[in-house]
Amino acid sequence: MSTSVLVINCGSSSIKYALISEQAKDRIYGLAENLGSADARIKGVTIGGQPLELSIPHADHEQALETILSRLSQYKPQAIGHRVVHGGTLTKAELLTDTIVERIREATPLAPLHNPAHLVGIDATMRLFPELPQVAVFDTAFHQTMPAHAYRYAVPKFLYTEHNVRRYGFHGTSHAYVSERGSELAGNLKQGGWLTAHLGNGSSTCAIWNGQSVDTSMGLTPLEGVVMGTRSGDVDPSLHSFLAANLGWDVYKIDRMLNKESGLLGLSDLSNDMRTLIEASEQGNEDATLAIEVFCYRLAKSLAAISCGLPRIDGLIFTGGIGENSAYIREKTLSYLPHFGFNLNKTQNNELKRGTEGRIDQGHGPQIWVIPTDEEARIAQETRQVAAQTSLLSKKSELAVEPA
Ligand code: ADP
């Protein structure tokens, strides 16, 4: 683990961490949760695969990070990679300098729930490990290759030029990872068109041509696009003025409703969890059945819409908790795309279990794959690349100042 990278993903009251070896073969990982409360704890897995559970009452982000890092001190990482949701217009992973930290801070209005938490984590690790290269890997960066006709909204131009109002897209590390992995598995699709569907609590679709994102379902924020666990996805933008005028709701209440009380939870009035809904639907719950139906139809509609960015569809990849696990959702979604020429192999579809990758088409038409996402491995890989370039650059500049 001597050339390992520590991947940190800071949420508002949690920290996911993973120490990943060079070929992503070995991994120590875990989650610090309920930070700031009496119930704060770390749950994880050690290198031998042993479970770890540690109570850290009232620990904040920095204290939790200190505990995590002290437990990992024997495997000193060569770099730290931070997952950062919104990089604004930053187009690639960046070494964390004061300027880059400032750019992340400037992007906060675009990701008010996520970026402040990332900054707390960055601040803590920079103080704890000033000697280690630290890299920010952005969910938005992969989508910076979208053409303007895909990322611009049809609103007055100054909102874009002066206030950065445009579509950014998210889940970039996941779409990048699974499409690259899909290309490897398919052997011949590096030049070609993939559609990817990342279906977790948050869900998004992406169209990828020759390895580059050309369109995606999420926009300025992660609310746009398909139906999610608690997020509505696309609604008529006039819903805001309707609710304000008729129910007297302010923007914060509307925003909370669309982000936290909508999606599968809102439709079913039962749960944001797809497993619960599938079970309830099997027992005859009509709201759960409708929620699943809307989810699959809107997902198919999104895939069809963003396929306009591709000259050709060579394959479709399902990933994320729902995409990797639910043969039922995959089949139902494809049933809404009969005109795209997909030929699902139902037996293979039904046989794929959690964590398994595999091809589920009949061998003709566009390929269909299930590929477990690995955002941590992708973040570690990008962190390693940036850190390597940086040490190369600093070696070159050391050489340059050698006396003649
Ligand atoms: P996150 O986006 O928080 O990382 P995940 O990618 O783990 O979340 O996805 C969580 C979703 O995956 C939940 O809706 C959960 O119900 C769903 N899920 C997990 N296993 C199954 C399954 N066997 N069948 C259907 N849905 C599943």
Side-chain angles (χ1 to χ4, degrees):
M1 299 289 277
S2 62
T3 52
S4 59
V5 166
L6 178 65
V7 175
I8 302 275
N9 181 356
C10 273
S12 54
S13 64
S14 69
I15 303 170
K16 279 188 192 160
Y17 67 90
L19 186 72
I20 300 183
S21 69
E22 191 136 7
Q23 301 301 325
K25 287 206 178 83
D26 298 313
R27 199 174 296 210
I28 300 170
Y29 59 91
L31 169 76
E33 58 188 356
N34 305 327
L35 296 178
S37 81
D39 201 21
R41 60 175 170 235
I42 298 174
K43 278 173 151 176
V45 169
T46 66
I47 191 143
Q50 301 301 315
L52 162 81
E53 186 147 2
L54 215 62
S55 175
I56 44 169
H58 302 289
D60 61 12
H61 283 75
E62 184 160 348
Q63 288 159 336
L65 276 167
E66 251 180 274
T67 312
I68 293 166
L69 295 162
S70 69
R71 296 192 66 90
L72 299 176
S73 56
Q74 51 179 316
Y75 317 106
K76 197 171 179 327
Q78 64 171 176
I80 299 183
H82 291 267
R83 178 216 178 194
V84 176
V85 163
H86 217 305
T89 50
L90 289 166
T91 56
K92 56 178 178 50
E94 295 280 359
L95 187 75
L96 280 168
T97 59
D98 290 348
T99 315
I100 295 298
V101 170
E102 203 38 48
R103 297 274 297 269
I104 297 171
R105 206 178 305 282
E106 281 165 15
T108 294
L110 299 167
L113 301 179
H114 294 98
N115 277 22
H118 301 324
L119 285 164
V120 170
I122 288 170
D123 194 48
T125 54
M126 298 270 256
R127 251 181 293 129
L128 293 167
F129 291 96
E131 75 288 0
L132 282 184
Q134 306 210 19
V135 174
V137 181
F138 304 102
D139 278 22
T140 46
F142 181 60
H143 303 298
Q144 285 288 315
T145 46
M146 282 194 288
H149 63 256
Y151 72 69
R152 284 290 293 277
Y153 288 114
V155 295
K157 184 177 172 184
F158 80 94
L159 289 173
Y160 169 63
T161 51
E162 293 172 31
H163 301 284
N164 301 318
V165 173
R166 51 160 284 180
R167 306 183 64 252
Y168 290 93
F170 298 86
H171 291 146
T173 46
S174 177
H175 292 296
Y177 175 83
V178 295
S179 59
E180 232 174 77
R181 180 76 189 134
S183 297
E184 265 170 45
L185 292 167
N188 57 353
L189 281 192
K190 288 230 162 62
Q191 308 295 312
W194 285 111
L195 290 171
T196 50
H198 174 108
L199 312 174
N201 281 312
S203 296
S204 68
T205 58
C206 186
I208 297 147
W209 181 248
N210 293 348
Q212 298 200 322
S213 168
V214 291
D215 204 352
T216 188
S217 59
M218 286 178 166
L220 175 74
T221 73
L223 182 58
E224 187 178 333
V226 299
V227 173
M228 305 175 222
T230 61
R231 287 179 232 155
S232 61
D234 294 338
V235 292
D236 184 335
S238 291
L239 180 60
H240 288 70
S241 49
F242 176 89
L243 294 174
N246 292 287
L247 303 184
W249 289 14
D250 64 20
V251 287
Y252 302 103
K253 187 169 166 76
I254 298 171
D255 206 49
R256 194 166 56 248
M257 179 274 289
L258 292 173
N259 276 289
K260 304 262 183 224
E261 297 155 16
S262 297
L264 294 173
L265 174 65
L267 276 163
S268 67
D269 208 14
L270 175 68
S271 172
N272 63 322
D273 192 297
M274 186 58 96
R275 267 168 306 198
T276 309
L277 295 185
I278 293 173
E279 277 165 30
S281 171
E282 282 165 1
Q283 286 156 17
N285 182 317
E286 288 178 10
D287 291 328
T289 304
L290 181 70
I292 294 168
E293 215 58 58
V294 177
F295 179 91
C296 294
Y297 177 68
R298 294 282 196 89
L299 171 59
K301 194 167 152 180
S302 171
L303 290 167
I306 60 168
S307 75
C308 294
L310 298 176
R312 196 180 65 230
I313 303 172
D314 293 295
L316 166 64
I317 299 169
F318 288 98
T319 192
I322 301 171
E324 291 165 30
N325 288 297
S326 182
Y328 178 66
I329 297 295
R330 296 191 293 256
E331 183 174 343
K332 192 172 267 305
T333 303
L334 285 164
S335 75
Y336 284 119
L337 294 166
H339 46 307
F340 276 61
F342 291 113
N343 295 293
L344 184 70
N345 181 323
K346 292 189 184 177
T347 314
Q348 278 167 16
N349 185 39
N350 291 332
E351 276 170 4
L352 269 186
K353 299 272 180 327
R354 179 156 195 110
T356 334
E357 61 188 15
R359 190 169 162 182
I360 54 169
D361 60 84
Q362 294 178 26
H364 51 98
Q367 300 189 9
I368 314 170
W369 287 86
V370 176
I371 299 180
T373 195
D374 195 345
E375 288 162 287
E376 281 87 11
R378 174 82 189 190
I379 293 171
Q381 181 199 346
E382 292 194 28
T383 298
R384 199 167 271 121
Q385 281 162 358
V386 173
Q389 282 159 10
T390 313
S391 70
L392 207 65
L393 282 178
S394 63
K395 279 199 187 111
K396 273 192 188 154
S397 62
E398 274 167 28
L399 285 177
V401 293
E402 287 275 307

